[in-house]
Structures are given as C-alpha cells and as structure tokens.
Amino acid sequence: MAIQAPATRPANPRFSSGPCTKIPGFSLDMLNDAPLGRSHRAAIGKAKLKEAIDTTREILGVPADYRIGIVPASDTGAVEMAMWSLLGERKATMVAWESFGAGWVTDVVKQLKIEAETKTADYGDIVDFSTIDFNTDVVFTWNGTTSGVRVPNGDAIPADREGLTICDATSAAFAMDLPWDKLDVTTFSWQKVLGGEGGHGVLILSPRAVERLENYTPAWPLPKIFRMTKGGKLNEGIFKGETINTPSMLCVEDYLVSLTWAKSVGGLKGLIDRADANAKVVWDFCAAKSWIANLANDPATASTTSVCVKFTDDRIKDGAAFAKAVAKRLENEGVGLDLGAYRDAPAGLRIWCGSTVETADVEALMPWVEYAFEAEIAAQA
Ligand SMILES: Cc1ncc(COP(=O)(O)O)c(C=O)c1O
C-alpha cells in the first residue's frame, strides 16, 4: 500500500539549529533604518549599538552591574575571548556533553594547556553538577545544541563559589531562564533563538568576572581582538557599544528588529513560552510513537530549543544512513530543512524549536516525519 503524504505542510519549513529561522513575518524592508555607509563610531552607529546592549539587558533581565559587550566572531569569539582572558588563575573544570562543549575542552587542554579536570557525559545525558568543584573555574554549555540536553536550572551552582562560571548559552539565551547570580560569564550569538545573523557574539560579565580581568594577567599573549583591559582596567567602552573592531551595522539593525519582535510577544516569558510549546509538540509526538524517542534521557534536562530525536525501530539496518535518508526526504519534500542530526551526534533528527519557530509549523512537520520514516522503512525493504 502506497504511503499517503500528509495534507498539511509547514508554512515555514526552516528548522535549522543555526542560523535559525528569522522572526515571523521577516522581510529585508525591516532593515531600512540601518545606518549603512556610516561609521559605527558616529553618533548614529554608537546609538544603535548602545540600544542593542540596553534592550538585551532589558529583555534578558541582566542585572545593572553586569557588563554586556558585542564582540567579534559570534558565540565562539565570545567564549574564546573569555577563556583566553580569564582562565589560568586557578584550576579549571571543563564540562561537556556534546560537541561544542567538547570543543571548549580541546581549547583548554590542548591550546591553553592549563591545569584542568574534564567531566563529560554521553549524548543524551548531562554531567552531574553536584560533583563539580565550583572553587575552580567551570566552563560549560547551558544547552547542548547537538545533544538536545540542557542544564535544568542553576541550583547546583553555589552562590559563594570562589571560581568563575563561564557559560556558553548560545542556544539557550532568550528561550530559557538563565540565573544571572550563578553565571559570571555568559555568551551567545544572534543567529540562534532570535533568528539573527552570524558574525557577532555577546559577552556578559558579572562583577566578579570584571574583578578577575582587572587583577589577573594570563601567562600567554592576547591578540587585540580578545583584549578587554587597558592598563589593568576594564575597557568600559566595549560595554557601551564601542566595539573592538568594526561590526556589521546591517546585522545590528537585524538584531534590533528581532529584539523589538521579542518585546511584542511578551519579552522573555513570551519567548520561553513559545519554545516550550514548540518542544512539547515534538515530545508528545515521541511519547505517542514507538519508533522515535527524545535523545535526552531525563525529561528534566530535555532541551526546548534544539530538540534531538532518535529512531528506535528494530527494523532499521543502518541507523546513520537511515536518519540521513529521512532528513533528505523531508528536505526534498520542502517540509523540513536542515534538520539532520549534527555530524558527531547519534543518528536522528534535530528539530529546532526556538522562539522564532511557529508552533503550527512544528505541528505540521510531525506527520511528515512519520511519513518520511515509513517511506524509508519501505525503501529499506
Ligand atoms: C552550544 C554552541 N556553542 C557554540 C556554537 C558556535 O556558535 P557560533 O557559530 O555562533 O560561533 C554553537 C553553534 O551552533 C553552539 O550550538
């Protein structure tokens, strides 16, 4: 019997985990106010950059005494700037449960070569935070984009820790609650939950992180692009929009447009609710079917943005080839783009459910996942 294709298609088939789908209703006309061809150091450019910082603070609820800077090289730039500038003062603990966290481990162990303990968990699980010594500097990823597993909350991070916490929150910021009092360094890029553009990173520093910057000089040289202090003092300009080098004012405008949309859907709470509702569609679908499961083993740590699923049917002969074929079929049908699992992750799908995704599109996608699954089971035979 021929397998029947679903009648309804997602209006927007973009489910990429980064760059993520743009805000609903996006059009390039929305960027008309970008001060193109003007200096980012002119009053108009500086005002845009400051507005980006101020609105980020407002929506995310970042405390007034935390610094927010726009830095080069997207989230990677922000994380590496922090690690190169702050680590080495004391022992580090590197925590990883998927490939991006593993990348930060490589940075510290193989490049910076400082004393570090590495704690890892397999795809689908998270490291037990109660086993971490927070008197060391701890580097971790809030939401593992490639494993669909996240930190449930900051409860296990002590308020009176002596070390710094450095948190890559790029696929969490704007879609999950972040406990600012437990985070000394937080990073993200615009291309994730807000559907912005790549290239720029955001670095948020607690007063304790600033204190470390002003009182500790790493043993290694720092390129200009990483330097946040001048003569032992924080370069405050960076945190007012005087970027280290030239940003794209088009990307800044795009970020401002996304922030305005974020406010229109109810700010942080509205953004979180949207991601939660999207993820629930996938979770409920997995719970109702015997052949698909969430990659996250514990529902408490299941991501609401990068929802990763695995195929569990015994009839599947080659898991990786099968999952790839399902993703390809969804792409060919034009109903689900870029939702194959990350290259190093277990075979499956990664369905981005961040705040710019419409719940109706996730609902429309799921029958297509079933259709593609059945079609590939048939194709195997
Ligand atoms: C958890 C995590 N960290 C870092 C990155 C790298 O981000 P960027 O390309 O913005 O530097 C990504 C990108 O997907 C990510 O998911």
Side-chain angles (χ1 to χ4, degrees):
M1 196 182 86
I3 303 157
Q4 198 71 37
T8 309
R9 309 167 74 81
N12 177 3
R14 292 175 179 81
F15 295 99
S16 155
S17 290
C20 302
T21 194
K22 302 206 67 80
I23 58 169
F26 177 82
S27 87
L28 285 170
D29 296 344
M30 292 174 166
L31 308 184
N32 281 345
D33 202 35
L36 302 184
R38 294 292 314 276
S39 170
H40 61 296
R41 310 226 186 260
I44 186 168
K46 273 207 220 161
K48 292 274 185 191
L49 288 157
K50 185 169 180 304
E51 187 186 344
I53 290 172
D54 291 347
T55 315
T56 300
R57 185 185 305 280
E58 179 191 336
I59 295 177
L60 293 181
V62 177
D65 58 350
Y66 280 45
R67 308 310 200 280
I68 302 177
I70 295 168
V71 302
S74 222
D75 179 65
T76 307
V79 175
E80 294 193 330
M81 191 172 185
M83 292 199 301
W84 259 256
S85 301
L86 294 162
L87 294 183
E89 190 254 3
R90 64 184 59 224
K91 189 179 159 185
T93 304
M94 302 300 299
V95 187
W97 48 82
E98 49 86 64
S99 69
F100 285 102
W104 310 141
V105 175
T106 301
D107 270 351
V108 166
V109 174
K110 295 210 172 130
Q111 299 294 324
L112 290 176
K113 298 191 173 89
I114 59 169
E115 187 192 358
E117 181 183 1
T118 301
K119 285 180 173 282
T120 58
D122 284 339
Y123 274 88
D125 288 317
I126 199 172
V127 168
D128 178 358
F129 270 46
S130 71
T131 67
I132 296 173
D133 176 4
F134 283 94
N135 291 330
T136 65
D137 291 333
V138 181
V139 181
F140 67 102
T141 302
W142 194 275
N143 180 78
T145 317
T146 63
S147 68
V149 173
R150 65 166 169 177
V151 181
N153 54 55
D155 293 357
I157 304 173
D160 61 350
R161 63 195 175 277
E162 285 172 21
L164 298 178
T165 49
I166 299 180
C167 174
D168 170 1
T170 199
S171 54
F174 294 105
M176 299 175 197
D177 255 322
L178 295 171
W180 297 109
D181 58 327
K182 303 296 179 76
L183 304 176
D184 294 302
V185 178
T186 308
T187 68
F188 63 88
S189 65
W190 298 341
Q191 45 114 355
K192 294 280 184 201
V193 176
L194 289 188
E197 295 300 301
H200 302 282
V202 173
L203 178 68
I204 303 180
L205 302 177
S206 75
R208 291 181 60 243
V210 172
E211 192 185 312
R212 170 78 63 85
L213 283 173
E214 293 186 331
N215 291 291
Y216 161 71
T217 306
W220 45 81
L222 281 182
K224 170 181 168 177
I225 214 79
F226 281 0
R227 289 202 291 266
M228 287 184 269
T229 56
K230 218 173 170 180
K233 279 279 163 219
L234 187 73
N235 182 353
E236 295 280 3
I238 297 174
F239 305 94
K240 293 185 182 127
E242 294 160 25
T243 49
I244 296 175
N245 66 340
T246 314
S248 158
M249 296 312 293
L250 192 61
C251 294
V252 172
E253 191 66 26
D254 181 74
Y255 181 54
L256 289 171
V257 166
S258 301
L259 291 170
T260 301
W261 170 81
K263 285 208 241 181
S264 77
V265 297
L268 185 59
K269 165 126 188 10
L271 295 167
I272 292 173
D273 288 350
R274 287 176 64 93
D276 286 357
N278 292 340
K280 186 171 181 301
V281 173
V282 183
W283 296 349
D284 289 351
F285 180 83
C286 289
K289 309 285 171 184
S290 60
W291 47 270
I292 191 167
N294 203 317
L295 185 56
N297 291 318
D298 176 1
T301 64
S303 172
T304 52
T305 54
S306 58
V307 180
C308 295
V309 295
K310 58 186 176 191
F311 296 115
T312 54
D313 194 293
D314 288 344
R315 291 170 293 173
I316 297 170
K317 290 174 187 143
D318 175 344
F322 184 88
K324 225 170 162 176
V326 171
K328 185 105 194 72
R329 193 174 284 270
L330 293 168
E331 185 138 355
N332 289 345
E333 292 283 357
V335 292
L337 306 179
D338 309 322
L339 39 61
Y342 190 73
R343 56 181 182 271
D344 301 337
L349 300 176
R350 183 174 47 160
I351 302 169
W352 182 257
C353 288
S355 314
T356 54
V357 172
E358 299 277 31
T359 306
D361 288 335
V362 189
E363 284 165 351
L365 172 69
M366 300 323 291
W368 282 96
V369 170
E370 181 155 30
Y371 166 74
F373 168 81
E374 293 295 355
E376 287 307 324
I377 288 285
Q380 256 194 172

